[in-house]
Structure formats: C-alpha cells, structure tokens
Amino acid sequence: MKKSIFNASFEESLNLEDDGFLQYYEKEQNEKTKKLSQKKFPTLITSLTSLVLTLLFPIGLNFILVAIIMTFRDDAENLTIPISKHELLTEKVYLYCLLLWLLFVLIGKLIKRSYLLPYRLHFHTITYLIWLIFEVDLAAIEITLPTLTVWGVLTFFVLLFLLWYWMIRMKYHNLKERLYTEKSGITKRDKIAKALSIYGGAFLGVALLIKQVLMLFMGNFSTSLKGLGLLFTWFILNVGVLAMLAFMEVPYYLYAYYKWKYPEEYREWEGKSLEEWYGKKYLKKHKELLEHE
C-alpha cells in the first residue's frame, strides 16, 4: 500500500503528537474540556455561550462588514479611494453564507462521540473564520478593483492559491516524514509552485509599485499610499489565514481523523473510561462498546 498521511497505523499516528502546533491545540483543548466538566450545568452553559457568541460574531460582526461596504457605496463620491460599481458583498451573499454555516453546525450535531466534541466546536470556529475572510475578500475586491483591474485581482488570487498549494505540499511532506519517520523528497511540482508564487508575487508587486509611482507624479500621492497600504494589508491577512489552515489546522484534524479511525486504541492510550471517551448518550445507543470495558 502506498504510504500517505491517511493510512498510517495507530503506532505511527502517535508520532503526530510531536507536532508543536498540535501540542498547543491539544493542551488548550484539554484545559477547556476539564473546566467545562467541573461546572455544575455544563450543557446549559455551553448552549448559552454558543448562542451569545453566534449572535455577536457570525451573525453580528459579519453583518456589520456588509453594512460598512454598503455605506461606502452610498458615499462613494466622497471617498479618497475609488470603489467599484460592481456590488459583490451584498445582503444575499451574507444570508447564503449564514445558511451554509448554520448547515455545517447542524451537520456537526450528528457527531455524538465525546472525544470528538472539541474538534467539532473548533470546526465551527474555523468555518466562521473562513466565512469572515470570504466577506473581507469580497469587500476588498470592490475597493481595489478600480486600481488593480480584473486581471490584477485574478493574478492576486492565483498567486495566493499557488502560495497555499506550496504551504499544503510542504506540510504534507512534513507530516509524512513525521508519521513514518522517513525523509520525503520535494517534487518538481512543489518547486514549480514555490517559484511561481515567489516570482509571480514579486512581478505583481513591481507592476503595482510602478503604477502607483506613476500616480504619484500625476498628483495622487495620498490615494496611492492608501491603495498600497490596503493591498498590503489584504495580502498579509490572506497569507496569514492560509498559513494557519495549512500549518495548524491540517495536523489538528489529521489527529482527529486518527482518533476516529482508532478510537479504542486512543482511549486506552489516554487512559479514559468508556463513559469519559464516548459519553453516556452515545453509549446508550451503542451498547456493543460496553464489551470493551
């Protein structure tokens, strides 16, 4: 069988625990679970906390972003930076994203095993973050489109994709080496993706810099600096999120995958009872697991 990061044995999967980001996540997860179990009414508290956070962030904060871009459109004539006439971030987009996010939440409710609960809750946070960045990107496209043009925006996202692909491939090789304790060579595709992301990014940066310098000589000094600042912030924000997904979330959920694949082995490894590991409700529906006690 060809070795991949998804078909390691239980013993090999334990090597993932050496990952620094995974150690941080697992430590944080264990502390939260421990605090929650010590509370008198954990289910009620968790439900109320989730409701408040949902109202504040996925529903509230994301809609505020929509309201801000709508305000920019209404006051476009007074803005120092031109804004596109093509509306991308609208109320409908917000509602579709909200419904999709809520659908993921409902699907997550189907996961009943207690040891997977922290991963499920974290997944909702990550999907919300992706939704937020998606809205930010739509708003940023509206603001930068007059400056970058369509080809500039397309180039921007192609470079981000290539950069993310390179990150994913690099993390894939790292995880494969960690799982099987063997060296994995860098492929030609990885080198091409890295080269395209680096040199392509440099080309885009130089092209935009030349354009902004020309605008400076035409008397748009303030507008040019603001445009460069917004573009740089937008790029760094996207790269930061992509790096987090590649280097932190991939090993975290790969570890969750192996816990799902080898539940009894991990239960014994962590020294948990059946009730601690699966939860009372899950055990009532799967009494065959009591044979492992």
Side-chain angles (χ1 to χ4, degrees):
M1 182 184 294
K2 184 179 179 181
K3 290 183 178 180
S4 77
I5 62 173
F6 300 109
N7 57 19
S9 65
F10 165 68
E11 290 77 12
E12 290 169 333
S13 70
L14 292 176
N15 293 327
L16 290 173
E17 295 182 352
D18 295 331
D19 187 276
F21 289 123
L22 180 60
Q23 290 176 4
Y24 169 77
Y25 266 154
E26 287 293 308
K27 182 181 178 181
E28 187 180 39
Q29 166 188 301
N30 292 334
E31 289 178 355
K32 287 182 179 179
T33 305
K34 187 177 180 180
K35 289 180 181 178
L36 191 61
S37 62
Q38 291 174 348
K39 294 179 180 178
K40 193 172 183 180
F41 304 106
T43 304
L44 178 61
I45 292 174
T46 302
S47 300
L48 290 175
T49 303
S50 299
L51 177 61
V52 171
L53 292 176
T54 300
L55 291 174
L56 286 176
F57 292 98
I59 295 179
L61 182 60
N62 285 31
F63 184 75
I64 289 175
L65 188 59
V66 177
I68 290 173
I69 195 66
M70 289 173 64
T71 304
F72 284 171
R73 294 192 200 110
D74 294 337
D75 198 31
E77 295 180 357
N78 298 321
L79 295 177
T80 56
I81 297 177
I83 188 171
S84 174
K85 295 180 180 179
H86 302 286
E87 298 182 2
L88 299 177
L89 182 56
T90 62
E91 301 96 319
K92 285 186 178 180
V93 172
Y94 167 80
L95 288 174
Y96 290 149
C97 290
L98 176 60
L99 291 174
L100 182 61
W101 184 78
L102 290 174
L103 178 62
F104 281 128
V105 172
L106 291 175
I107 293 174
K109 295 290 184 182
L110 300 175
I111 300 175
K112 302 296 184 181
R113 302 182 188 185
S114 293
Y115 68 91
L116 292 177
L117 179 61
Y119 300 99
R120 190 191 84 186
L121 297 176
H122 186 72
F123 177 76
H124 299 330
T125 303
I126 293 302
T127 49
Y128 158 67
L129 178 61
I130 293 173
W131 169 20
L132 179 62
I133 293 300
F134 176 67
E135 285 196 3
V136 169
D137 283 343
L138 290 180
I141 291 173
E142 285 195 43
I143 295 172
T144 59
L145 188 59
T147 303
L148 291 180
T149 71
V150 174
W151 286 108
V153 171
L154 288 175
T155 304
F156 180 86
F157 281 104
V158 168
L159 291 175
L160 280 177
F161 174 77
L162 290 172
L163 189 60
W164 187 59
Y165 175 79
W166 173 62
M167 291 178 185
I168 288 291
R169 293 290 298 180
M170 186 167 63
K171 190 59 183 178
Y172 176 85
H173 290 305
N174 175 264
L175 290 172
K176 194 173 180 181
E177 291 173 7
R178 193 177 298 280
L179 282 168
Y180 301 107
T181 61
E182 62 181 27
K183 203 69 177 174
S184 178
I186 303 298
T187 65
K188 186 177 292 185
R189 283 188 302 176
D190 301 329
K191 294 179 180 178
I192 293 174
K194 181 180 179 180
L196 286 175
S197 60
I198 294 175
Y199 294 112
F203 175 78
L204 178 63
V206 170
L208 288 172
L209 185 60
I210 292 173
K211 183 177 181 180
Q212 297 299 325
V213 168
L214 291 175
M215 290 179 67
L216 292 178
F217 287 107
M218 296 172 64
N220 296 321
F221 182 80
S222 179
T223 302
S224 300
L225 288 182
K226 288 180 180 178
L228 281 175
L230 285 173
L231 181 64
F232 180 75
T233 303
W234 183 26
F235 182 77
I236 293 299
L237 179 64
N238 274 275
V239 170
V241 172
L242 293 177
M244 182 197 71
L245 293 175
F247 297 118
M248 299 178 70
E249 301 305 323
V250 169
Y252 184 64
Y253 281 102
L254 182 63
Y255 192 61
Y257 162 75
Y258 278 111
K259 280 190 174 182
W260 170 80
K261 188 176 182 180
Y262 304 113
E264 279 303 299
E265 289 85 345
Y266 270 99
R267 182 180 71 84
E268 294 177 2
W269 173 258
E270 296 188 14
K272 300 287 183 68
S273 66
L274 284 172
E275 186 175 314
E276 289 174 325
W277 191 246
Y278 293 103
K280 289 183 179 180
K281 292 182 180 180
Y282 188 83
L283 283 176
K284 286 181 180 179
K285 294 182 179 180
H286 299 81
K287 294 184 178 180
E288 69 277 3
L289 291 171
L290 296 174
E291 299 175 1
H292 298 288
E293 190 66 83

